[in-house]
Amino acid sequence: MAADCCDMRGMLSFLLLFLLSKKPMHGQQLAAELGKRKGCRPSPGTIYPALKALKEAGLIAEKRQGKTITYRLTPAGSRALRVAKARFCRTFTGLFP
Amino acid sequence: MAADCCDMRGMLSFLLLFLLSKKPMHGQQLAAELGKRKGCRPSPGTIYPALKALKEAGLIAEKRQGKTITYRLTPAGSRALRVAKARFCRTFTGLFP
DNA sequence: CTCCAAATATTGGATGTACGATATTTGTCT
DNA sequence: AGACAAATATCGTACATCCAATATTTGGAG
């Protein structure tokens, strides 16, 4: 995640946290949801490294179920999402007047 | 700008286009506005390369006035902003239910 | 004219996001 | 067991963004 307050990078991580806050999902579900929102589906080479970084940062946790791995927010992930939402809101106010 | 529909990169360019659509500004004004929105002010090494790329893409135009350079959207920049806004909206729907 | 401050610009190094290709794990079907 | 598909994972490369530091241009003050 973007720890830096000036960083426009980290939007993918932010979106992943947001999607997982609505419902625990596995990687391909996340890819499909991103595809629906953005117009085309991200590569495995995009999605899995991002999930790995979030996991290593302690913001998401995983549980293996057969072939798939279901990701969910940790308490730290929930807190990080709340902070990121506030910053996002402040950054983009006025976009749709 | 991000031409790719899957790309979360290009958010800074998007914000710059948005700010310039409200009012033509020069570089330091843009930096100050970003600082107000994001919580800390971007470096010159962030802002000027981004403006240069937007200029070379034909999305903004510049006019020198003494010490400062005032940037404004070109017609192509307005069109690009409209498209980017629509995608942004679709991507982040449901963030604040 | 000279010095200074403000605005603009560039450089080097780091990180996040992106794709295509390839590899690995796992469950299912025969 | 062996073949296959789906999900997960990694690799190499490219690019947008980021900062700190430094350089350049410009207008104004002394």
Side-chain angles (χ1 to χ4, degrees), chain A residues 14 17-18 21 73 76-86, chain B residues 95:
Chain A
F14 173 58
L17 288 184
F18 163 57
S21 76
L73 288 193
S78 290
R79 284 194 301 274
L81 176 60
R82 200 162 52 244
V83 172
K85 264 186 178 178
Chain B
L95 235 190

Side-chain angles (χ1 to χ4, degrees), chain B residues 10-75:
Chain B
M11 293 300 285
L12 174 64
S13 302
F14 173 59
L15 251 186
L16 290 173
L17 288 185
F18 164 56
L19 292 175
L20 290 176
S21 76
K22 299 175 69 178
K23 175 163 63 99
M25 285 190 261
H26 53 259
Q28 290 306 306
Q29 277 179 306
L30 287 165
E33 182 64 28
L34 287 175
K36 205 173 71 183
R37 286 169 175 266
K38 296 199 293 173
C40 77
R41 190 190 184 103
S43 277
T46 298
I47 200 89
Y48 289 109
L51 288 170
K52 186 182 177 186
L54 288 171
K55 187 181 64 180
E56 282 168 359
L59 303 182
I60 64 176
E62 54 179 46
K63 195 172 89 176
R64 177 135 233 152
Q65 292 171 320
K67 208 184 312 192
T68 73
I69 296 179
T70 300
Y71 298 93
R72 59 173 175 72
L73 289 193
T74 60

